[in-house]
Amino acid sequence: MKILTTNFVQCTVKACGSSPDCFPLHFDQQTEDMPLELAHEDVDYSPEFVYNILPRIDWPALLITAHELGNDQLPMNKPEIKDPRAPEHEQLLKDLHILLLETQITQGTMRCANCGHLYFIRDSIANFLLPGHLVP
């Protein structure tokens, strides 16, 4: 599961739909059953893609996710980039590319801060299916 994907998913438990705590889902670093594992996958660098996806990114949620994964290098405020080819933005766009597109969660859990439900990630695939007692 790429980090980019985590910025677009929230808890699927119906009761959480109206809670602001259902997003972002939080990564549990030390779950006994399933420790968090990250991998790096080489993806062709495209500053235009990162530039175009940036307006769709929930920046506070990305900061939380990055921090939980040990990355504290992002600026506190969402950057305003006018030209993705400008040299002054090159390093930031590369850092975002690495975080969003090349960093992959291969195993672990995500937890809803509202209801505490755990979503398991195995072989880079997150399971968002709910158990029977949580399905409306």
Side-chain angles (χ1 to χ4, degrees):
M1 176 176 205
K2 293 186 185 295
I3 300 302
L4 177 61
T5 307
T6 67
N7 204 259
F8 298 101
V9 296
Q10 68 179 31
C11 185
T12 59
V13 174
K14 187 174 182 178
C16 289
S18 61
S19 171
D21 292 332
C22 70
F23 174 82
L25 297 174
H26 297 277
F27 289 96
D28 293 324
Q29 291 284 347
Q30 298 299 326
T31 303
E32 290 180 25
D33 307 359
M34 189 162 300
L36 187 64
E37 290 182 9
L38 301 175
H40 181 83
E41 176 186 355
D42 287 331
V43 175
D44 290 339
Y45 175 61
S46 170
E48 289 84 10
F49 177 81
V50 178
Y51 171 77
N52 287 326
I53 198 73
L54 195 55
R56 295 168 182 85
I57 297 292
D58 184 307
W59 196 258
L62 180 62
L63 288 176
I64 291 168
T65 300
H67 176 72
E68 290 174 353
L69 298 176
N71 181 334
D72 292 323
Q73 297 176 354
L74 296 178
M76 291 304 295
N77 297 313
K78 184 185 257 187
E80 292 185 27
I81 298 173
K82 304 286 186 214
D83 178 9
R85 295 288 181 185
E88 63 268 17
H89 301 303
E90 184 176 5
Q91 189 59 51
L92 175 61
L93 289 172
K94 283 183 179 179
D95 291 345
L96 285 169
H97 167 83
I98 290 168
L99 176 64
L100 295 172
L101 301 171
E102 293 188 354
T103 304
Q104 184 149 326
I105 301 136
T106 57
Q107 176 178 288
T109 58
M110 296 180 294
R111 178 185 37 78
C112 174
N114 186 57
C115 70
H117 184 71
L118 289 178
Y119 296 92
F120 292 91
I121 303 168
R122 290 187 177 92
D123 299 324
S124 301
I125 300 170
N127 182 355
F128 287 101
L129 296 175
L130 296 174
H133 70 283
L134 292 176
V135 177

